[in-house]
């Protein structure tokens, strides 16, 4: 198989767009949008960055990966399989789904040729255990296993290009986080004097350790200046509130940008709140990484790739 970037022709570096927002401007802060959502129509945002090196390592072999019923990661992997001509298997959380009509997200995966393997939630929680992985390998044979959300050392290395694209253009690069792969790479790619800010969308306080572990695996140790602000989960993964919904709708009206709700809305809300708190000094350039587009369902409980 040729290198994925040769065949898929991603739009990299992705555009960096300045937006005039008075909530930032009146404090002397420049807000920039790093439009990773425009990288590729089927593999937008961090999907491309996290998958590219994993697909290269697979070298045309079957890729097996994991996700929920509305996982954009599964959809991106299935789309890559269709476009590049390799088999894909999606291990889906929730064995009860096997007996229901496929939702639009899983139907898209199936239409792109992905074989769907449904497991109960207890098994899914143990998906990284040797027992579960060995069972999948016995069933499917020689496959390339990519973790949930695509976050592993190769993903972090792929996301380092995001940081390198922002060198010289920003002071703070902020990204919403699920499994930590994008933040781990983003921080590693930034230049000295720049910093990365992660906004977790899940509760639990586990992300700092996850990012540290990914950087150890990908770069041999700590890489770059990064921090987390865990105040903006809005109740947990895929949860929202009337306040967050109203903020996202207002941002769309102000700037004409469709705001993905699971990740991007929380990121933009966090940056606006931090600006109002005085967390950024006047003259600071803050870049928000737009990692995805609104989900196919058009609902607020979508499962965008983490």
């Amino acid at each position: 198989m040729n290198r994925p970037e040769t065949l898929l022709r991603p739009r990299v570096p992705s555009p960096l767009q300045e937006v005039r927002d008075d909530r930032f401007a009146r404090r002397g802060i420049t807000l920039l949008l790093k439009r990773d959502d425009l990288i590729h129509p089927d593999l937008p945002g961090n999907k491309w960055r996290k998958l590219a090196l994993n697909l290269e390592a697979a070298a045309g072999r079957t890729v097996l990966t994991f996700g929920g019923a509305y996982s954009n990661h599964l959809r991106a992997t299935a789309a890559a399989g269709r476009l590049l001509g390799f088999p894909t298997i999606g291990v889906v959380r929730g064995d009860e789904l096997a007996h229901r009509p496929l939702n639009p997200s899983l139907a898209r995966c199936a239409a792109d040729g992905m074989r769907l393997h449904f497991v109960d939630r207890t098994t899914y929680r143990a998906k990284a255990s040797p027992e579960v992985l060995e069972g999948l390998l016995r069933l499917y044979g020689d496959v390339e296993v990519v973790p949930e959300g695509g976050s592993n050392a190769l993903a972090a290395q792929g996301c380092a290009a995001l940081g390198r694209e922002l060198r010289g253009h920003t002071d703070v690069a902020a990204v919403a986080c699920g499994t930590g792969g994008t933040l781990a790479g983003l921080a590693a790619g930034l230049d000295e004097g720049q910093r990365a800010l992660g906004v977790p969308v899940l509760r639990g306080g586990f992300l700092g350790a996850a990012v540290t572990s990914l950087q150890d695996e990908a770069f041999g140790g700590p890489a770059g200046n990064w921090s987390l602000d865990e105040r903006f989960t809005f109740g947990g993964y895929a949860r929202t509130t009337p306040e967050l919904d109203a903020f996202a709708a207002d941002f769309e009206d102000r700037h004409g940008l469709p705001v993905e709700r699971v990740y991007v809305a929380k990121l933009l809300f966090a940056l606006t709140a931090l600006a109002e708190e005085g967390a950024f000094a006047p003259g600071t350039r803050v870049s928000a990484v737009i990692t995805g587009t609104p989900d196919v369902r058009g609902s607020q409980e979508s499962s965008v790739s983490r």
Side-chain angles (χ1 to χ4, degrees):
M1 185 179 71
N2 290 329
R3 298 189 70 181
E5 59 266 35
T6 302
L7 295 174
L8 294 179
R9 302 180 186 275
R11 185 183 181 184
V12 288
S14 60
L16 187 62
Q17 169 190 346
E18 182 176 346
V19 293
R20 176 76 182 182
D21 191 304
D22 64 309
R23 295 167 293 188
F24 293 82
R26 65 173 173 257
R27 294 173 173 82
I29 302 165
T30 300
L31 177 64
L32 304 163
L33 304 182
K34 180 62 168 164
R35 297 295 305 274
D36 264 22
D37 56 310
L38 301 178
I39 284 179
H40 191 279
D42 292 300
L43 288 84
N46 58 352
K47 284 68 145 183
W48 160 257
R49 297 191 189 274
K50 293 165 81 173
L51 278 173
L53 293 180
N54 277 289
L55 299 183
E56 191 172 326
R61 293 185 301 135
T62 299
V63 171
L64 181 148
T65 192
F66 305 83
Y70 289 92
S71 169
N72 273 6
H73 169 66
L74 288 184
R75 290 211 305 278
T77 304
R82 168 175 56 83
L83 293 167
L84 297 175
F86 63 87
T88 57
I89 299 166
V91 179
V92 184
R93 180 179 61 243
D95 57 345
E96 73 279 1
L97 300 172
H99 309 293
R100 299 176 185 172
L102 296 179
N103 64 41
S105 184
L106 294 178
R108 180 69 263 170
C109 291
D112 281 341
M114 176 174 275
R115 180 172 181 177
L116 301 175
H117 178 92
F118 297 92
V119 299
D120 63 78
R121 292 165 192 276
T122 299
T123 300
Y124 192 87
R125 282 194 294 271
K127 59 188 173 296
S129 69
E131 294 79 12
V132 171
L133 289 175
E134 287 169 8
L136 291 169
L137 292 176
R138 283 195 302 270
L139 185 62
Y140 292 114
D142 182 29
V143 299
E144 182 78 9
V145 176
V146 176
E148 181 182 36
S151 284
N152 57 12
L154 289 175
Q157 290 167 7
C159 289
L162 170 61
R164 291 192 294 270
E165 290 173 21
L166 287 168
R167 289 181 179 179
H169 298 292
T170 195
D171 301 299
V172 178
V175 66
C177 304
T179 51
T182 306
L183 177 62
L186 169 63
L190 291 173
D191 214 345
E192 192 172 342
Q194 296 177 300
R195 66 182 178 95
L197 171 65
V199 177
V201 301
L202 298 90
R203 295 181 297 176
F206 64 90
L207 202 61
V211 174
T212 297
S213 177
L214 283 166
Q215 289 198 331
D216 286 343
E217 295 174 24
F219 310 112
N225 179 11
W226 60 271
S227 62
L228 296 169
D229 193 320
E230 305 195 38
R231 295 178 294 159
F232 302 98
T233 63
F234 288 88
Y237 184 65
R239 300 289 182 89
T240 188
T241 65
E243 182 184 20
L244 181 61
D245 288 338
F247 170 85
D250 175 69
F251 197 94
E252 290 175 333
D253 289 341
R254 287 173 183 249
H255 303 298
L257 174 74
V259 175
E260 185 276 315
R261 297 302 203 260
V262 176
Y263 286 85
V264 176
K266 293 180 180 181
L267 169 67
L268 295 172
F269 186 101
L271 292 179
T272 304
L274 287 167
E276 292 173 349
E277 292 172 5
F280 306 120
T284 301
R285 297 166 297 171
V286 177
S287 295
V289 181
I290 309 301
T291 49
T293 55
D295 189 78
V296 292
R297 285 193 300 172
S299 77
Q300 305 312 315
E301 52 183 4
S302 59
S303 177
V304 177
S305 171
R306 289 150 41 188

